[in-house]
Amino acid sequence: MTDSAGAHQSRKVPSQLSDTAQSIWGTLRAIASTRHGATGGAILLLMVLIALLAPLIAPYDPQSLTPSSLAPPSWTNPMGTDSIGRDIFSLVIYGTQTSLTIGLGAALGALLLGGTVGMLAGYFGGIVDTVLMRIAELFQTLPVIILVLFTVAFFGSSFWLLITAVILAIWPIEARLVYGQYLRLRNMSFVDAARVADMSAAHIMLRELLPNAIQPVIVQVALDASVAILIEAGLGFLGLSDPNVVSWGQLLYDAQSYMTVAWWMSVFPGAAICLAVAGLNLFADGLNEVVDPRTRGRKGGLQ
Amino acid sequence: MSSFQSQKPNMLLDVCNLKVHLAVDGKTVRAVDGVDFAVAPGEVVGIVGESGSGKSTLARAIIQLMPNVAIAELSGTIRFNDADLMTASGTVLRRLRRQNGFSMIFQDPLGYLNPTQKVGRQIAEALDNSDDNRVLALLHEVGLPKPHQVARSYPHELSGGMRQRVMIAIALASEPALLFADEPTTSLDATVQRQVLDTLRRLHKSRGMAIAIITHDLGVIAELCDRVYVMRGGKAVESGTVVDVFETPQHPYTAELIRLSTRHLQVAQQGAQRAAP
Amino acid sequence: MARFILMRLMHSIPLLIAIIALILLMLQLIPGDPVQAMVGDYPVSPAFREAITKQYHLDDPFPTRLLSYFTNLVQGDFGYSYQFQRPVLDLILTHAPRTILLTVTGFAFAIPVGILIGLISGTTPNRRTDHLVTTASLLVYAIPSFWLGQILVLGLSVKLGWFPTQGMQPMISRAQGFDWFLERVHYIALPALAFAVHEGTRFARIMRASVIDTLSQGYIMTARAKGLSRSSIIRKHVLRNSSLPLVTIAGYAFGTALGGAVLLETVFAWPGLGLLFVQAVRMRDNMTVVAVVIFAAIAIILINLIVDVLYALLDPRIRSRA
């Protein structure tokens, strides 16, 4: 009886890398079945489409100047124009590309860096663990935006540097999460079995452990993406993002000087940020519901 | 079963055809599936079964203390004295829990005591007019030495046996007519188990309250109980006096349970001998 | 307890030293002239360059410079801002209290409201109420506080004229006594509100999760078995035990509030540490940038230390172990 209970508790033993992909696919489908997950997923899908089809959707080139500046929303300019006559609707459409690139790039970068560090620390333990996790703590002490601003202050604000800075600021969260997962899984029986079978550490880490550790990590990737989008928007709002790239935050920076005369300059780009972040958060929430069985259904409430 | 029908007017607790079906991951689990159950005043009744047999759910459903789980079906009647617990309002249930009704002690005393409050306060809370002397008297009654010191302790500062005694003290505070004890000794060491069982027996004698003990341990049943219900898969497959059930089990499952625990059988025989005169 | 504090200190001090070393190392990596990098876009004469080089040991190897920086730091010397023409410590000490005022005011609203919302959402037997609150807080949490600030300014200041759009106090004021206080309340209301909405939703979400966790604990079952009323179970068992984890969260949030302040203070031209930091970054006043970051690191590590000790004092299980 104890045997069957034990077998039931340990997860199924995947041995192919494709299982990781399968696990991710299965998770995505499960998310779509949750209320928040489906809504968030739909928002994200919409945003991806807008970003891909931006040249078809946007009525103007984002940098081209229309004859009227500070024009309120109308049929020709659905979201109005800014102080130099650019069409805000087109700017917001193209800004989607920037935000999604930042979100995706920074989140994947943080996953790669943090995931590797967490994996190594969690699997090997001992001195590797101590050193790596102390470094993670080092980076985690300061607020993300302070770290990013600090980097931008010294090294400039090109788009790719910005992504790098965001990755450097957020990887520790990912590292800690993966670390925790690997600590939990490290001593499970199927890992022992793999060790006995003389498989390499890399094989065990990537093929045996990764598929089992991946789910909560995806939640964090979605949250990381929302943090990255907010940071980029914040930097743009401070006028410190890459001036060569259209960004929602920058539009808010421009709006700051025209608050009394052109509300549309602030409202629409800001709403776009909210939508993107809400989409990611809803998605992460749905994901969380799938991953953490304790949150499935509702166990709270007191009669 | 028919012999109990005639006794019904005298029963403290009388449960008829109780069904508790839970919804777990879209499937219906028949945790309790049509159980009749009764306790006379001052009687000690055992409910025995493996884990998952529905015995804990039965007890919790009776005293209306279900944890937060989705319930697919809940039906049957539960009479306690004159009250119908199935339809009783929150106020009626609270009054029964606070004064001369029923109370319950649980398997894991550490989890069932608030870790951030001193033990004395947690006992006082169960009293209608909480005064320190009553708290100390209760701690003394359950056999805790140095009640003053215990009352000032946090749960984590006490041993497992002491915690379970504190739980018993809390349960006794309302002067219950019926005490449910859900696996009261399972989480304890063997010697401490002994002491806690002795305490329960002593309290039963001194207070004359009825006790319903839920356990997987036939030894506990044999030692303390007058009657026993054997549960399996949500149904009470057999019931009767401990001596009858242990000596001439009617249901093959009961026979199997008894055969599997020869040690328990020996204890049971001792218990039967004790009960005989 | 003393041993616990000592152990946390032993953990914190190396962390602090490592952060400062890392920051100074980054200062090394700035491309171009080190003197120029230190003073930013401030014009540099040869005599000035020599003075700076000597003062900050720029010709010496990195460890020596690190040591000299630490020596200065311990003596309270955070360097000199050539842009503001003032010692950086002086700048920090005038700006920090304003950020603290804003943060504390925001938290004074965010924490009680967040706890209340989380408590209601977590304990309500009505699933729909809970769903509504959960979804609403998720959506509100997605609003960046700096944009919320802009919108509040648009609606309440520009359109309705109820609040000033910017600043901490009027340029000229003759208000006395209570009027003086009211005037300041007017100025702090919007930035504090924008801050509180964001933090409040965060506290509400964490509190709800914590409440649900508490409700699944055995001692809630015991409390119900005792026949306690719903309200006294919530008051005596749920509220306190669920709020405990929030002590830690609130402490960390307070420590990292400077991050949010950077953006929020810019929206409202609130002359705090965040605005100082942004100005310094824009003017490439690197001495100030470095000093503010180091100051923030010290403050955060100190606050985390205090929070851990406080938590240990509040939770009897940890208290007796420590």
Side-chain angles (χ1 to χ4, degrees):
Chain A
M1 185 178 141
T2 40
D3 274 354
S4 70
H8 191 74
Q9 264 180 4
S10 72
R11 305 260 190 98
K12 74 171 191 247
V13 183
S15 54
Q16 292 294 317
L17 202 57
S18 68
D19 282 3
T20 307
Q22 222 164 43
S23 166
I24 293 175
W25 177 238
T27 313
L28 286 177
R29 286 184 34 178
I31 296 165
S33 70
T34 66
R35 237 161 35 104
H36 282 173
T39 321
I43 293 175
L44 293 182
L45 209 62
L46 181 74
M47 293 226 139
V48 170
L49 281 179
I50 290 176
L52 291 176
L53 304 175
L56 297 176
I57 301 170
Y60 302 92
D61 180 281
Q63 302 297 357
S64 75
L65 310 180
T66 62
S68 54
S69 63
L70 293 178
S74 64
W75 284 112
T76 43
N77 306 103
M79 295 181 181
T81 61
D82 72 357
S83 55
I84 51 172
R86 293 180 301 175
D87 177 51
I88 304 229
F89 180 63
S90 305
L91 287 165
V92 169
I93 295 292
Y94 274 92
T96 313
Q97 292 181 335
T98 313
S99 277
L100 289 191
T101 314
I102 282 270
L104 199 70
L108 291 183
L111 174 66
L112 212 63
L113 178 59
T116 311
V117 169
M119 218 150 64
L120 293 173
Y123 183 79
F124 288 109
I127 185 81
V128 181
D129 174 344
T130 315
V131 171
L132 288 178
M133 293 326 283
R134 285 310 287 266
I135 292 176
E137 194 183 352
L138 194 68
F139 277 87
Q140 221 181 356
T141 304
L142 286 164
V144 174
I145 186 138
I146 299 282
L147 274 179
V148 174
L149 270 174
F150 182 73
T151 320
V152 167
F154 289 161
F155 303 101
S157 59
S158 84
F159 188 71
W160 296 106
L161 186 85
L162 186 57
I163 293 190
T164 315
V166 174
I167 292 172
L168 278 177
I170 62 180
W171 71 269
I173 312 170
E174 201 72 59
R176 293 205 152 193
L177 193 74
V178 174
Y179 171 70
Q181 288 289 314
Y182 271 62
L183 273 191
R184 185 175 64 81
L185 294 169
R186 184 165 67 184
N187 296 319
M188 284 203 170
S189 54
F190 68 88
V191 180
D192 287 339
R195 280 209 195 96
V196 172
D198 228 10
M199 291 177 180
S200 71
H203 177 96
I204 297 175
M205 270 193 279
L206 293 175
R207 299 208 169 175
E208 306 290 332
L209 290 171
L210 190 60
N212 282 314
I214 199 83
Q215 281 198 332
V217 174
I218 312 176
V219 178
Q220 195 53 46
V221 169
L223 292 176
D224 281 351
S226 84
V227 168
I229 288 176
L230 277 172
I231 293 292
E232 192 273 338
L235 235 60
F237 171 72
L238 295 173
L240 293 168
S241 66
D242 191 336
N244 303 312
V245 179
V246 182
S247 113
W248 295 333
Q250 238 171 47
L251 296 176
L252 292 182
Y253 173 66
D254 297 338
Q256 184 79 353
S257 318
Y258 299 93
M259 288 306 282
T260 47
V261 288
W263 55 268
W264 52 90
M265 284 180 67
S266 164
V267 168
F268 295 112
I273 300 172
C274 290
L275 192 66
V277 175
L280 281 163
N281 287 357
L282 283 167
F283 186 73
D285 202 58
L287 193 52
N288 207 23
E289 214 172 298
V290 173
V291 172
D292 188 354
R294 283 179 312 163
T295 58
R296 201 176 302 154
R298 180 171 173 271
K299 300 259 164 56
L302 182 67
Q303 293 291 336
Chain B
M1 210 41 43
S2 60
S3 63
F4 291 130
Q5 296 286 337
S6 59
Q7 290 175 16
K8 257 189 175 172
N10 306 325
M11 283 295 170
L12 175 64
L13 173 74
D14 189 12
V15 177
C16 257
N17 197 25
L18 182 67
K19 286 185 183 169
V20 185
H21 295 177
L22 308 174
V24 182
D25 283 336
K27 279 173 287 185
T28 304
V29 176
R30 302 179 169 205
V32 177
D33 200 18
V35 170
D36 295 326
F37 179 75
V39 183
E43 191 186 22
V44 183
V45 178
I47 306 172
V48 70
E50 294 167 349
S51 62
S53 62
K55 54 191 196 301
S56 280
T57 311
L58 173 67
R60 289 175 181 220
I62 291 172
I63 59 171
Q64 304 285 309
L65 272 186
M66 291 295 287
N68 274 316
V69 288
I71 289 168
E73 189 189 336
L74 183 64
S75 64
T77 56
I78 306 169
R79 295 221 129 258
F80 183 83
N81 278 337
D82 302 326
D84 180 359
L85 299 189
M86 275 303 234
T87 57
S89 68
T91 323
V92 171
L93 286 173
R94 267 202 300 282
R95 199 184 310 131
L96 283 169
R97 286 171 190 152
R98 288 207 75 77
Q99 205 62 58
N100 307 114
F102 41 79
S103 52
M104 183 158 185
I105 56 179
F106 304 92
Q107 178 178 347
D108 154 41
L110 184 58
Y112 283 84
L113 290 169
N114 188 336
T116 65
Q117 276 182 14
K118 288 182 180 161
V119 160
R121 198 176 141 195
Q122 298 190 51
I123 298 170
E125 206 177 43
L127 290 162
D128 257 348
N129 357 322
S130 48
D131 77 271
D132 288 352
N133 289 331
R134 282 282 294 135
V135 171
L136 296 177
L138 280 167
L139 285 170
H140 181 77
E141 191 183 350
V142 296
L144 279 166
K146 300 183 192 156
H148 279 282
Q149 203 183 324
V150 173
R152 278 196 306 268
S153 307
Y154 288 98
H156 69 270
E157 295 165 341
L158 303 174
S159 70
M162 291 166 93
R163 281 181 213 135
Q164 193 55 288
R165 283 163 195 272
V166 169
M167 279 303 305
I168 297 173
I170 290 174
L172 292 181
S174 64
E175 311 274 336
L178 171 60
L179 172 71
F180 276 95
D182 187 359
E183 302 271 9
T185 58
T186 306
S187 67
L188 305 174
D189 295 340
T191 49
V192 185
Q193 280 189 8
R194 199 43 305 114
Q195 294 164 4
V196 169
L197 287 180
D198 287 343
T199 307
L200 281 176
R201 188 183 359 227
R202 182 166 53 76
L203 290 169
H204 168 243
K205 286 214 174 103
S206 62
R207 291 198 166 215
M209 67 181 169
I211 302 180
I213 295 182
I214 297 113
T215 181
H216 65 278
D217 187 342
L218 288 171
V220 172
I221 301 282
E223 250 187 82
L224 284 177
C225 299
D226 304 317
R227 284 193 304 120
V228 62
Y229 290 79
V230 182
M231 280 197 71
R232 187 193 192 193
K235 293 185 194 300
V237 293
E238 181 162 5
S239 66
T241 66
V242 170
V243 183
D244 285 351
V245 171
F246 277 44
E247 283 185 348
T248 51
Q250 299 299 306
H251 195 279
Y253 177 70
T254 314
E256 183 72 2
L257 267 188
I258 295 170
R259 195 184 61 77
L260 280 175
S261 54
T262 40
R263 189 187 72 82
H264 292 155
L265 187 61
Q266 289 161 1
V267 179
Q269 281 165 345
Q270 288 162 13
Q273 281 159 12
R274 229 191 347 250
Chain C
M1 202 69 215
R3 238 191 91 216
F4 175 73
I5 297 174
L6 198 71
M7 270 177 59
R8 289 292 290 112
L9 266 177
M10 298 272 280
H11 183 87
S12 302
I13 291 173
L15 184 68
L16 188 61
I17 293 174
I19 287 182
I20 295 173
L22 189 75
I23 290 167
L24 295 181
L25 191 67
M26 276 184 79
L27 207 54
Q28 295 281 296
L29 295 176
I30 301 179
D33 176 16
V35 174
Q36 200 70 62
M38 283 195 89
V39 301
D41 289 345
Y42 193 75
V44 176
S45 69
F48 182 67
R49 168 182 301 277
E50 200 177 319
I52 291 276
T53 308
K54 216 172 144 206
Q55 188 183 350
Y56 294 103
H57 304 265
L58 292 186
D59 286 340
D60 292 343
F62 184 65
T64 318
R65 295 175 51 190
L66 199 61
L67 197 69
S68 82
Y69 194 89
F70 274 118
T71 324
N72 290 340
L73 215 55
V74 170
Q75 290 164 357
D77 180 5
F78 276 70
Y80 189 83
S81 163
Y82 294 94
Q83 300 285 356
F84 290 96
Q85 297 288 342
R86 277 166 75 187
V88 179
L89 184 66
D90 202 24
L91 279 172
I92 290 175
L93 290 182
T94 41
H95 286 76
R98 298 164 183 166
T99 298
I100 293 171
L101 176 69
L102 182 59
T103 310
V104 169
T105 314
F107 275 140
F109 288 100
I111 293 175
V113 173
I115 284 182
L116 193 69
I117 293 175
L119 194 63
I120 291 171
S121 172
T123 55
T124 178
N126 186 344
R127 291 177 73 112
R128 291 183 64 178
T129 312
D130 181 42
H131 275 314
L132 204 72
V133 175
T134 314
T135 308
S137 65
L138 201 68
L139 294 180
V140 173
Y141 193 58
I143 304 174
S145 57
F146 61 92
W147 183 63
L148 182 64
Q150 272 196 343
I151 294 300
L152 287 174
V153 167
L154 256 178
L156 302 181
S157 304
V158 176
K159 295 273 179 232
L160 297 171
W162 290 353
F163 297 96
T165 55
Q166 288 200 326
M168 197 175 75
Q169 58 206 15
M171 294 285 208
I172 307 151
S173 169
R174 292 200 178 78
Q176 297 264 317
F178 191 64
D179 285 343
W180 180 91
F181 173 74
L182 270 187
E183 211 168 60
R184 260 113 195 118
V185 168
H186 244 69
Y187 276 86
I188 202 171
L190 291 191
L193 180 65
F195 180 70
V197 166
H198 194 70
E199 292 298 316
T201 38
R202 177 151 71 142
F203 284 122
R205 287 169 59 77
I206 296 166
M207 182 66 182
R208 175 183 176 272
S210 183
V211 164
I212 287 175
D213 185 53
T214 304
L215 286 178
S216 73
Q217 300 292 317
Y219 55 83
I220 298 299
M221 193 64 87
T222 306
R224 285 170 67 194
K226 283 175 189 170
L228 296 183
S229 67
R230 180 174 185 270
S231 68
S232 64
I233 294 176
I234 291 176
R235 254 182 308 119
K236 291 179 184 160
H237 295 280
V238 180
L239 181 58
R240 181 190 157 127
N241 289 26
S242 311
S243 304
L244 267 180
L246 260 77
V247 173
T248 317
I249 307 275
Y252 293 156
F254 186 74
T256 52
L258 181 62
V262 163
L263 294 158
L264 215 51
E265 289 181 0
T266 306
V267 179
F268 292 97
W270 184 268
L273 212 51
L275 194 61
L276 174 73
F277 187 62
V278 173
Q279 285 171 338
V281 170
R282 285 197 187 135
M283 296 191 291
R284 298 183 49 77
D285 179 2
N286 292 340
M287 287 304 276
T288 308
V289 170
V290 169
V292 171
V293 172
I294 288 174
F295 177 81
I298 295 173
I300 288 169
I301 287 175
L302 207 64
I303 290 168
N304 290 355
L305 182 68
I306 293 169
V307 164
D308 285 350
V309 172
L310 197 67
Y311 187 86
L313 284 174
L314 288 175
D315 190 329
R317 283 163 296 185
I318 303 179
R319 193 194 310 153
S320 61
R321 226 179 301 145

